[in-house]
Amino acid sequence: MIRARLAELQLAVILLSRLPAGRLPEDKINLGQTVWAYPIAGLLIGTGGALALGLSALLGLPPFAAALLCLVTLTFLTGALHEDGLADLADGFGGGREREKKLDIMRDSRIGSYGVTALILAYGLRACGIAALYAQGAHLAAAALIALAMASRAQIAIWQSLMPVARPDGMGHAATGVPKNALILALVYGALGLTLTGIYAPLIGLAVVLGGAAVAYLAKRQIGGQTGDVLGASQQASEILGWIALMSLL
């Protein structure tokens, strides 16, 4: 049992980051079962970003420079996985008129104007949120960063569990079959991460879920379900809305 859980955690880290996680055992692992470990992977990623903020404070960097250094670190740790999903979704939904065309565009590795615009806005809003909290204290920004890294990845499990797949192959299809206990555990860990934001945790949690829900609703209307790109874009949207909520509350 412990070996199976460790393998699932290992796979979650491999799926969601570029962190060294060793080699997986030979046993086949159900991707849907790994969702409980998504927020744990988020904890590792967020800690890396928090360390970048701590280094920025030691160097005396101004807020926006610290925010950019943090985002560079996060991009390095994740390989821009979720950002890639956001860009593909923006290109597909913005450039395609019919469902199949949208899916074809999303599968294309090239990036278009909608994708570029989405990335600029996403990085800009996240930088604003990190800088705003860093200006009040590097420890506040670091705590918020870890909280959102965990919660935004935990909410992926909701849509991975509830939404039908939009295509019969790809990451979204391979990750179906999420057990109820894995979903519940993912949400519990995500909620625990949010406690780092103090008394505002319930409101930040609501913002995180609403961000992901907006992407899920749009995807259901546009392509009839979820794909790996949809799940990645939901992480970005939930994190961004979390930062906006934090900026408005603090």
Side-chain angles (χ1 to χ4, degrees), residues 1-247:
M1 179 68 72
I2 294 177
R3 180 182 176 186
R5 300 293 84 79
L6 288 175
E8 290 160 7
L9 173 59
Q10 208 178 346
L11 183 54
V13 173
I14 291 171
L15 286 173
L16 300 184
S17 77
R18 295 296 179 267
L19 292 168
R23 298 183 62 179
L24 285 170
E26 297 295 329
D27 301 338
K28 186 176 180 180
I29 303 173
N30 173 18
L31 293 183
Q33 180 68 46
T34 66
V35 301
W36 70 267
Y38 286 2
I40 308 301
L43 171 62
L44 298 176
I45 294 165
T47 299
L51 290 174
L53 290 176
L55 176 62
S56 298
L58 288 175
L59 296 175
L61 297 182
F64 203 71
L68 290 180
L69 178 60
C70 177
L71 289 173
V72 168
T73 303
L74 293 174
T75 301
F76 175 78
L77 293 175
T78 63
L81 175 70
H82 304 306
E83 289 85 354
D84 180 67
L86 175 65
D88 286 342
L89 181 138
D91 279 334
F93 290 6
R97 303 192 65 175
E98 298 169 352
R99 178 181 179 275
E100 292 305 319
K101 182 61 176 176
K102 294 176 192 292
L103 288 170
D104 286 343
I105 294 174
M106 289 168 68
R107 195 187 289 272
D108 193 334
S109 61
R110 293 171 296 181
I111 187 170
S113 57
Y114 288 105
V116 170
T117 302
L119 288 178
I120 291 172
L121 293 174
Y123 271 104
L125 288 168
R126 290 162 68 200
C128 287
I130 296 170
L133 268 73
Y134 180 88
Q136 300 182 49
H139 65 288
L140 291 177
L145 184 71
I146 293 172
L148 291 179
M150 294 180 67
S152 64
R153 287 166 178 82
Q155 64 84 42
I156 293 175
I158 300 173
W159 321 118
Q160 190 172 322
S161 173
L162 298 180
M163 293 182 70
V165 293
R167 58 163 64 105
D169 58 358
M171 171 62 187
H173 182 268
T176 54
V178 176
K180 187 175 181 180
N181 65 326
L183 171 62
I184 293 172
L185 198 54
L187 297 180
V188 168
Y189 285 149
L192 287 174
L194 284 173
T195 60
L196 292 172
T197 61
I199 61 172
Y200 298 113
L203 292 175
I204 305 305
L206 177 61
V208 165
V209 173
L210 287 176
V215 172
Y217 174 76
L218 186 61
K220 189 68 170 63
R221 287 180 59 88
Q222 294 277 334
I223 57 175
Q226 54 94 351
T227 67
D229 289 333
V230 170
L231 299 177
S234 77
Q235 186 279 326
Q236 288 286 285
S238 64
E239 182 181 335
I240 289 168
L241 208 58
W243 282 117
I244 291 173
L246 280 165
M247 285 189 286

